[in-house]
Amino acid sequence: MSTHSYALVIDDGPFKGHRYPVTPAGLKLGRSSQCDISIKDLLLSRSHCRFELRGEELWVIDLASANQTLVNETAVDEARLAPNDLVKVGQTVLRVEETEVAAPPGENAGAPEVVIDLGFGKEEGGTARAKKPFLRPVMWTLVAVLILITGTTLILDPANRAREAAAKPQAIEQSKTLLIRYEKVEASTANIFRYELTLSPDGVLAVKIDDLAGKDRHVRKEKKVDPELLSELSGSIENSGFFSLDKAYTGFAAKPNTLNEWTLTVAIGKKAHTCRVTNRLEPETFKALREKLETFSKNELGIWAIQFSADKLTALARDALAVARKKYDEREVKYGNIFEAMRSYQEAIFYLDTVNPKPDFYTEIMDGFEAAENELGKRYEDQRFRANRAINLSDWAVAARELKILCELIPDRADSRHQEAVRNLIDVESRLKKSRR
């Protein structure tokens, strides 16, 4: 006898190399210090996901997180995990490990075979005759009947089979194969930064980044793209004017010993074209298509600002941190400044998503976001209490004022707290109008 044992190993992220055995009670992962796997990452929700055992199966359950739980690059609400599956949450990638654990010796040894004797088939003298299991023949008979019914249905429904057969070649003819290869190189005596985007014939989008100055930074992401999205992309490329561009546009480097080069190859069906731009401003048609492809890859792969070098991303993160500090310091000036500070902290984290190791000010970003989040939560509860007290006292003018402040405090319309405040405000303003008649 053996049983399955699972562990989660962090392959990438702040705690790379850490290993967490999955206990019968399960493991909760999130930003909160109360979680079994606690990771300070702004991309994580406080309680982001949970790993639990169901019998001998390991499952992951997304806990309504803001930035989703990905299993092998696919967002899931819950999913059964297999050995070597990769679970991505925020900046962390966990790999599933499975081992078989032998049952303790003697646990089932010597256990008597359970025999249910209904009294049938006993020989004279009370000796029991060995009985062949009667359920197996019955099961095989049921399976045979089901197969017969299914086969008969298919034979008697030639129209259905004809429709299925006709649908297959039609799906192939509906769209032309789209192939893309785009490469950007920024090189100097100090660094080489290379960004490559490819789209294969089977619809797999892949991005590779090699940044030697960024602590030898290498990023690899890929995902199979929805055929409908590919069809839309193909149509926009055909109408972009790319196929009418020259094969090469060459200029002179702004600085000695530097190279800035973009090379884009696109094939749609039998039509193909390559255009290279070296050390000069890009033609508007080329630039528009290049930016469209970079945006498309960012949205599909969920990697923010992936096309920039580590140095530039670090500089952008530092600027975002400065804005966050200023907004938080001015939290008494404007109700929405705390929320704006949180957004700037999040922006800094997004910039540093693919930068490893993190810069020395990364801890300040994390601590600053947590402080702003706690402060906003406290102020929201206080303000909500004032609004509800005014509603309970039927003081509609005061209630409307307090609810408007609440909306300014949480300006994000997608936030459930903002939505609740707006619903209450609409109702209160209606009552206020009636009271003034």
Side-chain angles (χ1 to χ4, degrees):
M1 293 287 291
S2 64
T3 185
H4 296 274
S5 175
Y6 295 95
L8 301 169
V9 179
I10 297 184
D11 274 1
D12 194 13
F15 294 154
K16 184 175 180 179
H18 285 220
R19 187 174 186 275
Y20 299 89
V22 182
T23 65
L27 296 174
K28 184 185 287 186
L29 182 151
R31 204 174 71 247
S32 169
S33 58
Q34 303 301 314
C35 291
D36 304 296
I37 305 176
S38 177
I39 303 174
K40 281 194 173 184
D41 179 352
L42 296 190
L43 298 177
L44 295 180
S45 299
R46 285 179 173 273
S47 295
H48 194 98
C49 67
R50 175 179 173 78
F51 298 89
E52 66 178 38
L53 294 171
R54 298 179 182 177
E56 294 211 343
E57 297 175 354
L58 177 62
W59 285 70
V60 61
I61 300 94
D62 183 77
L63 301 176
S65 64
N67 291 313
Q68 301 183 313
T69 299
L70 306 179
V71 176
N72 299 325
E73 298 298 336
T74 300
V76 300
D77 292 324
E78 66 171 38
R80 179 186 174 187
L81 298 175
N84 296 317
D85 275 351
L86 297 178
V87 180
K88 187 174 190 304
V89 287
Q91 300 176 78
T92 298
V93 177
L94 304 102
R95 176 171 44 82
V96 178
E97 276 190 358
E98 179 189 26
T99 56
E100 285 195 3
V101 180
E107 184 176 298
N108 293 314
E113 183 181 356
V114 177
V115 178
I116 300 176
D117 185 2
L118 300 178
F120 300 110
K122 283 196 175 183
E123 305 247 354
E124 290 182 7
T127 305
R129 283 188 288 114
K131 298 289 290 180
K132 292 182 179 179
F134 67 93
L135 286 177
R136 185 175 297 174
V138 173
M139 290 176 64
W140 280 113
T141 301
L142 289 173
V143 170
V145 171
L146 288 172
I147 292 173
L148 181 61
I149 293 172
T150 304
T152 304
T153 302
L154 291 174
I155 292 171
L156 294 178
D157 189 11
N160 182 58
R161 288 185 290 113
R163 284 193 300 271
E164 291 179 356
K168 291 180 181 178
Q170 184 180 2
I172 295 173
E173 294 172 0
Q174 279 177 352
S175 62
K176 300 174 185 177
T177 301
L178 173 63
L179 298 173
I180 298 174
R181 185 179 185 276
Y182 162 59
E183 181 185 53
K184 175 168 68 175
V185 177
E186 298 173 0
S188 67
T189 55
N191 183 35
I192 297 177
F193 172 76
R194 178 177 176 273
Y195 170 93
E196 181 186 66
L197 179 153
T198 58
L199 180 69
S200 66
D202 56 351
V204 174
L205 177 70
V207 165
K208 299 178 182 178
I209 287 180
D210 297 292
D211 183 9
L212 301 185
K215 300 295 183 181
D216 204 18
R217 169 177 170 243
H218 302 283
V219 178
R220 301 288 187 269
K221 294 288 180 181
E222 66 176 43
K223 176 186 175 183
K224 191 169 180 65
V225 183
D226 188 310
E228 289 187 10
L229 290 176
L230 291 181
S231 180
E232 292 176 10
L233 180 62
S234 180
S236 64
I237 292 175
E238 284 196 280
N239 296 324
S240 69
F242 172 76
F243 290 97
S244 64
L245 291 172
D246 293 341
K247 290 185 177 180
Y249 297 84
T250 305
F252 298 95
K255 296 180 180 179
N257 300 317
T258 60
L259 172 68
N260 288 280
E261 186 173 81
W262 302 266
T263 305
L264 177 57
T265 299
V266 177
I268 301 177
K270 296 181 179 180
K271 184 166 60 174
H273 184 59
T274 296
C275 181
R276 177 178 286 112
V277 181
T278 307
N279 286 339
R280 60 157 286 173
L281 292 176
E282 308 158 81
E284 283 302 319
T285 297
F286 184 95
K287 181 181 179 182
L289 180 55
R290 187 261 300 171
E291 290 179 343
K292 182 179 185 66
L293 292 175
E294 290 179 353
T295 301
F296 184 83
S297 71
K298 285 188 295 181
N299 292 340
E300 279 298 298
L301 299 175
I303 303 177
W304 211 90
I306 189 174
Q307 73 272 25
F308 298 123
S309 68
D311 288 342
K312 185 170 183 178
L313 291 171
T314 302
L316 291 170
R318 196 183 297 275
D319 291 343
L321 173 59
V323 173
R325 288 180 189 140
K326 185 174 185 298
K327 290 290 185 181
Y328 188 71
D329 289 343
E330 296 175 353
R331 58 190 179 276
E332 304 297 341
V333 177
K334 185 180 176 183
Y335 292 115
N337 276 354
I338 300 178
F339 187 86
E340 292 301 322
M342 288 175 59
R343 292 187 67 170
S344 293
Y345 280 124
Q346 287 177 316
E347 183 182 349
I349 289 297
F350 293 153
Y351 281 127
L352 297 175
D353 184 21
T354 61
V355 176
N356 283 304
K358 305 301 181 195
D360 53 4
F361 58 88
Y362 182 76
T363 302
E364 182 184 351
I365 296 173
M366 301 301 300
D367 292 343
F369 176 84
E370 193 159 350
E373 186 179 44
N374 291 337
E375 178 71 14
L376 182 65
K378 180 178 179 298
R379 293 199 180 196
Y380 167 77
E381 292 300 333
D382 289 345
Q383 189 62 37
R384 187 167 179 259
F385 172 78
R386 293 190 187 97
N388 287 339
R389 180 177 59 189
I391 290 172
N392 290 336
L393 295 174
S394 299
D395 193 342
W396 307 123
V398 173
R401 185 182 70 240
E402 301 296 346
L403 286 168
K404 287 176 182 177
I405 293 174
L406 205 53
C407 290
E408 290 181 43
L409 200 62
I410 312 286
D412 184 5
R413 294 181 180 182
D415 193 305
S416 60
R417 295 172 295 182
H418 179 91
Q419 293 169 355
E420 180 192 47
V422 168
R423 287 194 300 269
N424 287 335
L425 180 59
I426 292 172
D427 180 73
V428 165
E429 287 183 334
S430 174
R431 296 173 185 274
L432 183 59
K433 287 179 182 179
K434 290 179 181 178
S435 68
R436 287 173 176 171
R437 288 175 185 172

